[in-house]
Amino acid sequence: MTRNFTRLAAGTALAVLGGAYAMPAAADGHMVFNRVASFPVNLNIPADKGQESESSAEIIAATEDGMMLVYSDSPLGGIGKVDISDPANPAAAGFIALDGEPTSVVVQAGHAFVGLNTSESYTAPSGALVSVDLESGAIAQSCDLGGQPDSVALSKDGSLVAVAIENERDEDLNDGVIPQMPAGSLVIVGAANGALDCGSMKTVDVTGLAAVAGTDPEPEFVDFNDANEIALTLQENNHIVVINGETGDVVSHFSAGAVDLVNVDTAEERALTFDDTLTGVVREPDAVKWLDNDRLVTANEGDWKGGSRGFTIFSKTGEVLYESGLAFEYEVAMAGHYPEKRSGNKGAEPEGMEVGTFGDTTYIFLLSERGSVVGVYEDTGGTPVLKQLLPTALAPEGAVAIPGRNLFAVANEKDLIEDGGVRSHVTVYTYGEGEAAYPMLVSTMDGDRPIGWGALSGLAADPAEPGILYAVNDSFYRSQPTIFTIDANQQPAKITSATRVTRDGANAQLMDMEGITSDGDGGFWIASEGRTGRLVPHALYHVNAKGAIKQQVAFPAELLAVEKRFGSEGVTRVGDTLWIAIQREWKDDPAGQVKLVAYNTDTKEWGAVRYPLEPKGKGWVGLSEITAHGDHVYIVERDNQIGAAAKLKKLFRVPLSEMVPAPLGGDLPVVTKEEVRDFIPDLTSTGGYVVDKIEGFAIDAAGNGFAVTDNDGIDDSNGETLFLKLGAM
C-alpha cells in the first residue's frame, strides 16, 4: 500500500484553519456549545466500596431518548449511569458491577453492550461482549470473544456490534516492541432490541495488512458508517482497515502515514518554546469516526513510536483529504491548555473523538487527553473550521453527541483521589443560540508560533489605560519567567505580548513570581515566593518595561529568621511603600494570622501588620493576592480545596488607614477586614467544578475589577483558566 507522508509547517496548517484563534461573536442564530454541568462520578460509587475507591468515567454512551448517560468504569469494574433528564443538574443513577474490566460501552433498547476484559495475562488474553439490562443490572447475554476487547461500536441501524480485539502488548517486554503474540482481530456480532446473537459472531482476520508488525495487528478503535462498513484503527501498526460489516470482508486498508512537524515543543524544560522540528512522525491514530460513507477522521494520539498531535481526514481508500499538523495543538496552547510536561511525549495528545450532526451542521469533537480541552470543528466537506474550544474536567477519554436533545457529554477519566485531588467527572454541554462562555482568556500568534502561557499567579493593572493588565507566571515555568500583557477590553480577553523577565540578558532563574505591581514609571515590582531549600530567595525584584531585572531586594534577616515555605503571594504599591501578602503563618505568627509586609522603596525600611484569616476547614487557608485601590487594600483569601470540598474563595478589603506598619520582630497591629465578594459562584459559572487557586486580582484605571485563576501548568489540572470581569469596584 502507498505510504501517506505529509510535510506541514505549523504556519501552513494554521493558514488552512483560518489563522489564530478567534472566538465567534454572539449574533441572532449563532449556535454554540456551552458546558452546563460537571458530574463527579464518585457519587455513583456503591456504599460497600467506599468513597476512597478509585472511580473513572472512560467511554460514554447515551440511551436512545438521550435521558441517561452510561459510562465504563475500569478501576471500579462496572458501568455507571447518570440521569440527565435535567442536563444542568445531572444525578447519580447507580452503578452496575461486572465480572471483568469494562473497556467500552454502547446502548440499545435499555441494554448496555459492554466489552469485558477477563485476561489472565498478556499471553493469555480473554474477554466477552455482554448485554446488561440497565434497569435490573442482570446479564442478558454473554458472547465469548476469544481475546481482549477494546473499542465497541453499534451500527446505525442497530443490527451489528463491532468489537476491536486488541490483545494488547506488554509494554515492559522488550521495550514494548511488537510483534507480541497473540495477534488481535475484529469481531462482529448481530444485535436486535438489546439482545446479542452470539451464534452470528464473525471473527475478521486482519493480519498481514500492515507494514509495521503485520503478523501482530493491535486493533484500537471501531466505528460504523451508514452502509454498515466498519473503520478500524490498528494503532501500534499505524494502519487503518475498512471492513464490510455484513460479510466481514476487507474493503480497503492503508497506512495512516506520517507527517513532519515544524515549530513544535519537544523539550520538557519548563518553558513553552515551540522551536523544534520532528520529521517522519507516524500518526498512530487512536479514535476513528466516519464523516460520511466515503470519509473518515482520525485522532492521531500516537503510541510507541509516534503521535502527530493533530487529526487527519482520509478517504476510505487512504487519500489524505486534510491534515491539521500542529494547528490544533497551537489552539490548545493559545487557550492556556498546553501540557508542558508532555512536550517530549505527544504533547496535547488528541485521543478521543466524536462526530455529531446538530441541525444542518456536522461537528468533529477532538479530545485532548493531556490538555483537557475539546476542539469543536465544523465539517465543511473540505477544510474543517474550528468553531470553539470547550473546557472539560481532567483527561477527557470518551464523548457522545446527543443531537435530539441538543446535548453533548464527555467522560473525563482521571481520578486523583489518592492525592486528595479532583475526582473523575462527566461534563455536560448544551447547544443553542448565544455566546461561547469559554475560553475567557486567549493569546495570539507571535510570528509562526503561538504565545504559550499558563500558571498565572499574579495580576496588576496598567495605571493609565483601562482594561490593560499584566500577569506573571509562577515557577512551574521556571525556565521562562514572563510578564504577560492582557487586553481585557476584548472578548475573550487577549494576551497581546509576552515579556521575559531577564537577568544579564538571559531568562532569570531561581524565581517564583507570585505578585506584580506597577512601579509608576513604566516598569514593575515583582514578588517572588522563596524556597530556601531549593536556593530560591524570598525577594522583591524591580524590572524595567523590557523585563530586565534592575534591582533585587532580599527579605531582611528579621523575616528570614522566622520564614516558612509559603511566602509572598502578591504585591501592591501605595506611594513609596510596597505591601507584600504572605500566604500562610510563619514561625512567629499566631495561629490564624498572617503578615502583610511593608517595604519602603525610599527609606529602605521594613515593617508589617497582621491580617486575620477565616477559620480553617479541611486543608489550609491563606492569601493569594493584594491590590491597593482608593481607600482600601483588597486581599484574596482562599482554602486549598477543589471541587465540592472548596469552601473559601473570597475577596476582602482592609482600610488603608489601618495599614500602618510596625517594626519587624515586635508586636504587630492586627487590621480589620470586610468581605467584598464570594468567588465560588463565579468559579462555577461555566458549569465546571470549583478550581482551587484564584491567584490574581486587579482593579484597572476605570475602577473595574478582574480576577484570574492559576491552572498549575496543566499538571494534575484540567488546565482551565477563569478570567473574571467583575465590573465596578
Side-chain angles (χ1 to χ4, degrees), residues 336-658:
H337 280 258
Y338 181 78
E340 163 60 13
K341 278 192 170 182
R342 299 291 296 178
S343 289
N345 188 12
K346 301 183 288 186
E349 202 165 316
E351 179 182 11
M353 179 179 285
E354 172 67 314
V355 169
T357 299
F358 291 76
D360 296 327
T361 305
T362 297
Y363 293 102
I364 301 166
F365 302 90
L366 183 64
L367 281 58
S368 168
E369 181 185 13
R370 301 295 179 170
S372 294
V373 71
V374 177
V376 182
Y377 290 84
E378 180 181 346
D379 174 29
T380 65
T383 299
V385 177
L386 178 68
K387 306 302 288 186
Q388 289 182 255
L389 289 177
L390 302 178
T392 66
L394 189 56
E397 177 79 5
V400 60
I402 313 172
R405 295 193 66 207
N406 282 332
L407 297 177
F408 173 68
V410 176
N412 304 273
E413 68 174 341
K414 195 75 169 181
D415 185 0
L416 297 180
I417 180 60
E418 288 189 4
D419 301 321
V422 69
R423 305 303 301 261
S424 171
H425 279 70
V426 168
T427 45
V428 182
Y429 310 77
T430 58
Y431 179 69
E433 291 188 17
E435 182 177 358
Y438 192 87
M440 296 178 168
L441 178 65
V442 298
S443 68
T444 186
M445 293 292 289
D446 181 13
D448 57 1
R449 61 200 71 185
I451 296 176
W453 61 276
L456 301 183
S457 55
L459 196 64
D462 188 278
E465 292 190 59
I468 302 302
L469 308 170
Y470 306 97
V472 290
N473 57 8
D474 67 22
S475 61
F476 182 87
Y477 299 104
R478 55 178 174 259
S479 298
Q480 197 178 51
T482 302
I483 300 169
F484 298 98
T485 301
I486 298 172
D487 183 356
N489 298 303
Q490 301 190 45
Q491 181 61 30
K494 181 168 284 188
I495 293 173
T496 58
S497 65
T499 303
R500 309 302 179 206
V501 176
T502 61
R503 184 184 285 113
D504 299 326
N507 286 356
Q509 303 295 304
L510 300 178
M511 295 182 71
D512 183 7
M513 302 189 299
E514 294 287 349
I516 181 172
T517 191
S518 167
D519 69 355
D521 195 29
F524 305 94
W525 282 95
I526 292 171
S528 178
E529 183 177 24
R531 196 162 180 181
T532 302
R534 296 184 180 179
L535 303 180
V536 179
H538 297 277
L540 295 167
Y541 294 88
H542 193 192
V543 305
N544 65 17
K546 295 182 178 180
I549 295 174
K550 297 303 182 183
Q551 181 186 9
Q552 176 177 337
V553 180
F555 275 21
E558 298 95 323
L559 273 180
L560 295 180
V562 294
E563 70 156 322
K564 283 188 176 181
R565 170 184 165 190
F566 299 95
S568 303
E569 279 289 324
V571 63
T572 193
R573 183 176 62 88
V574 181
D576 291 330
T577 299
L578 297 174
W579 284 96
I580 308 147
I582 303 300
Q583 185 179 63
R584 291 169 61 185
E585 299 99 327
W586 279 16
K587 294 176 184 177
D588 62 335
D589 292 318
Q593 294 183 9
V594 293
K595 293 185 187 70
L596 305 177
V597 174
Y599 173 70
N600 189 295
T601 58
D602 183 30
T603 66
K604 316 303 182 188
E605 294 176 306
W606 291 84
V609 297
R610 283 198 172 98
Y611 172 95
L613 294 170
E614 294 295 284
K616 286 197 302 184
K618 185 178 180 181
W620 53 257
V621 168
L623 308 186
S624 283
E625 180 67 287
I626 183 169
T627 299
H629 178 74
D631 295 329
H632 293 85
V633 168
Y634 292 78
I635 292 172
V636 175
E637 187 175 346
R638 67 175 179 88
D639 58 24
N640 67 331
Q641 300 301 295
I642 193 168
K647 304 300 180 186
L648 176 64
K649 318 287 180 186
K650 289 185 177 181
L651 181 68
F652 294 89
R653 67 180 186 179
V654 173
L656 264 179
S657 60
E658 296 185 19

Side-chain angles (χ1 to χ4, degrees), residues 12 238 259 286 291 305 448 616 618 628 632:
T12 303
N238 196 40
V259 298
D286 187 318
L291 292 171
K305 284 190 175 180
D448 57 1
K616 286 197 302 184
K618 185 178 180 181
H632 293 85

Side-chain angles (χ1 to χ4, degrees), residues 185-446:
S185 61
L186 175 75
V187 166
I188 305 169
V189 180
N193 299 316
L196 297 170
D197 180 4
C198 298
S200 70
M201 188 167 65
K202 301 181 186 72
T203 299
V204 180
D205 182 0
V206 288
T207 61
L209 303 182
V212 177
T215 59
D216 181 23
E218 298 212 2
E220 187 75 21
F221 206 96
V222 288
D223 191 46
F224 280 94
N225 65 14
D226 290 337
N228 278 353
E229 291 177 321
I230 301 165
L232 173 69
T233 55
L234 312 180
Q235 185 172 27
E236 288 87 342
N237 311 91
N238 196 40
H239 211 75
I240 298 169
V241 185
V242 177
I243 297 153
N244 184 315
E246 302 286 353
T247 66
D249 295 333
V250 173
V251 175
S252 66
H253 68 95
F254 48 91
S255 168
V259 298
D260 290 347
L261 301 176
V262 180
N263 293 334
V264 59
D265 192 343
T266 64
E268 297 171 11
E269 81 278 48
R270 298 297 184 94
L272 300 173
T273 49
F274 306 102
D275 58 3
D276 205 353
T277 296
L278 296 174
T279 59
V281 180
V282 290
R283 292 185 173 97
E284 290 185 343
D286 187 318
V288 60
K289 289 287 182 177
W290 289 95
L291 292 171
D292 51 39
N293 286 348
D294 298 307
R295 297 177 304 135
L296 49 89
V297 57
T298 61
N300 303 327
E301 177 203 22
D303 197 285
W304 64 310
K305 284 190 175 180
S308 58
R309 307 188 182 209
F311 68 102
T312 308
I313 298 176
F314 294 95
S315 73
K316 71 177 181 182
T317 57
E319 178 187 3
V320 174
L321 304 177
Y322 172 78
E323 166 58 47
S324 72
L326 287 168
F328 175 64
E329 185 155 283
Y330 280 10
E331 301 294 351
V332 170
M334 289 187 285
H337 280 258
Y338 181 78
E340 163 60 13
K341 278 192 170 182
R342 299 291 296 178
S343 289
N345 188 12
K346 301 183 288 186
E349 202 165 316
E351 179 182 11
M353 179 179 285
E354 172 67 314
V355 169
T357 299
F358 291 76
D360 296 327
T361 305
T362 297
Y363 293 102
I364 301 166
F365 302 90
L366 183 64
L367 281 58
S368 168
E369 181 185 13
R370 301 295 179 170
S372 294
V373 71
V374 177
V376 182
Y377 290 84
E378 180 181 346
D379 174 29
T380 65
T383 299
V385 177
L386 178 68
K387 306 302 288 186
Q388 289 182 255
L389 289 177
L390 302 178
T392 66
L394 189 56
E397 177 79 5
V400 60
I402 313 172
R405 295 193 66 207
N406 282 332
L407 297 177
F408 173 68
V410 176
N412 304 273
E413 68 174 341
K414 195 75 169 181
D415 185 0
L416 297 180
I417 180 60
E418 288 189 4
D419 301 321
V422 69
R423 305 303 301 261
S424 171
H425 279 70
V426 168
T427 45
V428 182
Y429 310 77
T430 58
Y431 179 69
E433 291 188 17
E435 182 177 358
Y438 192 87
M440 296 178 168
L441 178 65
V442 298
S443 68
T444 186
M445 293 292 289
D446 181 13

